[in-house]
Amino acid sequence: TPRDAEVLRRISAIYRAMPELLTSPDYVPFTPTLQKAVYATRFPGKTATLWTVINRSGVSVTGAQIEVPFVPGTRFFDLWHGSELKPRVAGDKATLAFDLEPHGYGAVLGTTTAPARPVKKLLAAMRRHARTRLSDLSTKWKVLPQYVVPIPRTHPATQAPGGMALI
């Protein structure tokens, strides 16, 4: 469906921009979240951590979504919407707030280094994609018609074309 295609386009863009985090042997599925029906997975790396998020409810979820460890100098980016997040910091914890559509997705990057070129490109692309809400896209499956295209028979060659080898 158009909605499914757009979800795959966005998720694929995120996955391609940070494959080293998604293959982290220290990933933590079912990372605690602050909202009901919102689930997260944490993929830690040396200088960055990626959280992937899903809203399994049929309603929008806004506000604080996840509380994460905070190291001074860490910047957080909402990869799904292509923007920088301003966390609410209390001691060694940062609370991250962002919006999730009904049955929607999210991804947050926390990094202690300046965003690399692939991340900057991803943020710009995701800002463009985020202009279209997933809920605005159709979830209706449309079967594409198939047609048999006639292919005319070729005339047998009287001799092998140049450069051909007899097998």
Side-chain angles (χ1 to χ4, degrees), residues 142-159:
K142 292 182 182 176
V143 178
L144 295 177
Q146 296 182 9
Y147 303 97
V148 175
V149 177
I151 300 174
R153 293 185 72 112
T154 57
H155 297 290
T158 55
Q159 57 184 338

Side-chain angles (χ1 to χ4, degrees), residues 8 23 35 43 45 61 97 102 120 129 142 146 161:
L8 287 172
T23 57
Q35 302 276 356
F43 298 91
V61 181
K120 288 179 181 178
H129 290 308
K142 292 182 182 176
Q146 296 182 9

Side-chain angles (χ1 to χ4, degrees), residues 1 10-11 13 19 26 39-40 42 47 49 52 55 68 80 88 92 99 107 111-113 116 143 147 151 153:
T1 67
R10 295 179 194 188
I11 289 173
D26 300 319
Y39 301 93
R42 180 171 63 98
T47 61
T49 299
T52 57
N55 174 12
V68 301
W80 195 259
R88 188 179 72 224
D92 64 345
D99 298 336
T111 180
T112 56
T113 61
V143 178
Y147 303 97
I151 300 174
R153 293 185 72 112

Side-chain angles (χ1 to χ4, degrees), residues 118-139:
V119 174
K120 288 179 181 178
K121 283 180 66 175
L122 173 66
L123 290 168
M126 295 306 279
R127 261 191 307 278
R128 287 190 306 275
H129 290 308
R131 291 182 201 143
T132 303
R133 294 180 47 84
L134 295 178
S135 58
D136 293 339
L137 300 171
S138 173
T139 59

Side-chain angles (χ1 to χ4, degrees), residues 98-121:
F98 49 93
D99 298 336
L100 293 167
E101 291 187 58
H103 302 289
Y105 303 86
V108 173
L109 176 68
T111 180
T112 56
T113 61
R117 188 168 187 264
V119 174
K120 288 179 181 178
K121 283 180 66 175

Side-chain angles (χ1 to χ4, degrees), residues 67-74 76 87-95:
E67 185 178 81
V68 301
F70 180 73
V71 175
T74 301
F76 296 94
R88 188 179 72 224
V89 178
D92 64 345
K93 300 285 184 188
T95 302

